[in-house]
Amino acid sequence: MAAETTSLELSNEEMSAGASFHDMLEWHGIQWYRTERNVRRLQARIVKATQEKRWGKVKALQRLLTHSFSGKALAVKRVTENQGKKTPGVDKITWETPEKKAQAIRDLKPRGYHPQPLRRVYIPKSNGTQRPLSIPTMKDRAMQALYLLALQPVAETLADPHSYGFRPERCTADALVYSHILFSQKNGAAWVLEGDIKSCFDKISHGWLLAHIPIKKDILRKWLKAGYMEENVLHATDEGTPQGGIISPVIANMALDGLGQQLLQRFPRSAHGNSPKVNMARYADDFIVTGTTKELLEQEVKPFIEEFLEKRGLTLSQEKTVITHIKDGFDFLGQNVRKYNNGSVLTTPSKKNVKTFLKRIRETIESFKGDTAGQLIVTLNPMIRGWANYHRFGASKKTFNSVDCAIYKKLWQWARRRHPKKSATWVRKKYFTTQGNYNWVFTGEIQDEDSQPKLVHLRRAVDVKIQRHTPIQGNANPFDPAWETYFEKRLDVKTERNLTGKRQLLHLWREQNGICPMCYQKITKITGWHCHHTIWRSKGGADRVENRVLLHPNCHMQLHNQGLHVEKPRPENKKGVRKA
């Protein structure tokens, strides 16, 4: 431990002078590439020990990671960079300054740790009900993030191959493409059980979790029993894991892992043509199970699943768990999967999903009665782009056209209502223009950074290209060094796809091989990026690609704080960082 902290933060002169590590710790002085490397090395060792079922070794390595400086630093970094970084818990404390972040690393000690109750809030669900969300304090979030670093390599090694929710490097597109493959096969299954677990996060048995989740038991027990505050009243928690906790999704996934493998053991495949064709795809607590007959799913598979869940304190939602023929189609993760008479299987946006999206769009347009067209466009564009990007891996072109038509009709009503005494021709010239092959493009004006007028155009869902998604291999493990090359190739494809249409950013990302020259870690959509001028504009630097480089947001702040200068990475200058 001492060796690690020495190499990370203190020079030999400072150590020989008797300087305290905690006294010398500065947030912007942390060498993040070393912390990342130290944690990844420990996680790889945890994966190997898990594969060999050396549980004593796993426990020792987990303890080493959760007591290491690198683990604590990355845990604090995560909770101070994610979307909830400005949302406090019951103590109303946030860590927004470098000094507070450095102090948080010092205070992150398992010994004597006692979590505070969670702050309960509610968020609306699509069916009109409300979902409870429990918000831990910043310290509790960081402690969960620290233990998650040690738990996730075990969880990924033991996970079901076709579980896709709340797992690194996996997404809904993987689950949807895999479900499409199941029904596209010749002589594939004809029936599907659409499963939904009732109040999964809220009902998981604490006894089962404490007996089976491989992390420090007293820490896990404290999290599970912390309770929550609602209207200044403390409520006890005797079951479930709170929605809102960083570690909760992984714990819930581990409670459900094993179901897919047990189904295959109970209903094995056969090479003689009489296979039951029982396969499972799961995303968090939503799952589908295929089968050859309705009777098989109803009388054998469903009772087997209910027995599996009962041991964990869970039950199936009888209202949402249904058995459907593939020719009637079924909804899964906002998509409808259906096999047509010609034998083709299509995955399209579900009617419910389209209806919900258009309702949200119409409500947004209605709320902008007194605002400008430019302000409305700036609000609508991310909504349209996000929805279309989610559905771009299916047969969605026809749906995109109908959605664009519905949005256009609502915008026309909005424009006519603003000018009731003007003619339709006048309204058309004011709000709609020609762009490329389109004659009716909703257009407005906003102020740019220099307070100059700038035209903005409404995006069309149909402009999002339909793309083919390659599902992840079932056994792929991002913490196992054996899969490193595989994930690098997938990450390159994913990041290049996210930067398509942003030519300069894509050029910079390719030029840097997708690597941040400060910490030498990958730049992805999740990490985010800042565009840094190698010669500052205030010092005469140009705003050209030749004078820019992509950095992680935290690395960008660290560079300016320490007065460093970063050069464009070249083969002969891999690091590219020096004192200004």
Side-chain angles (χ1 to χ4, degrees), residues 65-81:
L65 199 160
T66 54
H67 286 72
S68 68
F69 168 80
S70 295
K72 295 176 183 180
L74 284 185
V76 173
K77 184 173 184 282
R78 172 172 178 172
V79 301
T80 54
E81 288 188 350

Side-chain angles (χ1 to χ4, degrees), residues 87 181 200 230 260 285 287 292 320 389 407 426 464 492 508 577:
T87 304
I181 292 172
C200 180
E230 185 175 8
D285 57 345
F287 63 89
T292 52
K320 297 181 180 179
N389 281 337
I407 294 174
W426 186 92
V464 175
D492 288 345
L508 290 173
V577 180

Side-chain angles (χ1 to χ4, degrees), residues 15 25 46 58 75 80 158 192 241 247 250 259 261 285 296 317 360 433 440 461 519:
M15 292 299 294
L25 173 60
I46 291 173
V58 169
T80 54
L158 303 177
V192 58
T241 179
I247 204 170
V250 175
L259 178 56
Q261 295 299 314
D285 57 345
L296 172 68
S317 171
R360 183 177 166 219
T433 187
W440 288 76
C519 66

Side-chain angles (χ1 to χ4, degrees), residues 331-345:
D331 290 350
F332 185 46
L333 302 176
Q335 298 267 17
N336 180 267
V337 183
R338 182 180 175 186
K339 191 169 190 175
Y340 293 84
N341 292 331
N342 61 2
S344 64
V345 178

Side-chain angles (χ1 to χ4, degrees), residues 19-32:
S20 166
F21 164 68
H22 289 307
D23 292 339
M24 299 299 298
L25 173 60
E26 291 185 4
W27 177 257
H28 288 306
I30 298 174
Q31 298 178 15
W32 291 108

Side-chain angles (χ1 to χ4, degrees), residues 532-549:
H532 171 72
H533 292 83
T534 54
I535 301 177
W536 296 4
R537 296 187 69 184
S538 59
K539 296 182 179 180
D543 190 23
R544 296 195 302 267
V545 173
E546 295 80 7
N547 189 45
R548 290 193 290 174
V549 66

Side-chain angles (χ1 to χ4, degrees), residues 543-561:
D543 190 23
R544 296 195 302 267
V545 173
E546 295 80 7
N547 189 45
R548 290 193 290 174
V549 66
L550 295 182
L551 304 174
H552 288 132
N554 189 76
C555 294
H556 194 201
M557 295 172 60
Q558 187 177 37
L559 181 144
H560 283 280
N561 183 272

